Amino acid sequence: VGYDMTRLAAQRCFDAAGLKPSDVDVIELHDCFSANELITYEALGLCSEGKAGELIDRGDNTYGGKWVINPSGGLISKGHPLGAT
């Protein structure tokens, strides 16, 4: 699912930009499957490992929360088209 790759890339990007996850407002991510979206929340450092469900329960992943994630509706809303992937 790319957890390690995503974690490393996110750490490098945040370090290079001098930012941290709390500095970001809107996130578009690959949500080919709902489980992959949760794993990506953790890999990006939005929450600790195993805590993505709690992040969602608090509403931190939508309007009024800490981040607006996939305001486009994500790939799931588009039927996961191959061109978008």
Side-chain angles (χ1 to χ4, degrees):
V1 294
Y3 176 88
D4 293 331
M5 174 182 59
T6 301
R7 183 105 173 135
L8 179 60
Q11 286 174 344
R12 287 182 178 175
C13 287
F14 284 127
D15 290 347
L19 299 172
K20 54 190 178 295
S22 61
D23 295 322
V24 177
D25 296 318
V26 178
I27 300 168
E28 282 284 345
L29 56 81
H30 187 88
D31 64 345
C32 54
F33 304 100
S34 51
N36 193 69
E37 185 172 346
L38 273 67
I39 291 166
T40 304
Y41 290 173
E42 297 172 6
L44 291 174
L46 306 184
C47 61
S48 302
E49 288 186 26
K51 300 295 183 181
E54 293 174 22
L55 181 147
I56 293 167
D57 289 344
R58 287 190 307 269
D60 285 345
N61 64 327
T62 191
Y63 297 94
K66 290 183 179 181
W67 304 276
V68 177
I69 300 176
N70 288 347
S72 71
L75 288 175
I76 293 173
S77 73
K78 297 168 185 63
H80 193 193
L82 287 177
T85 302

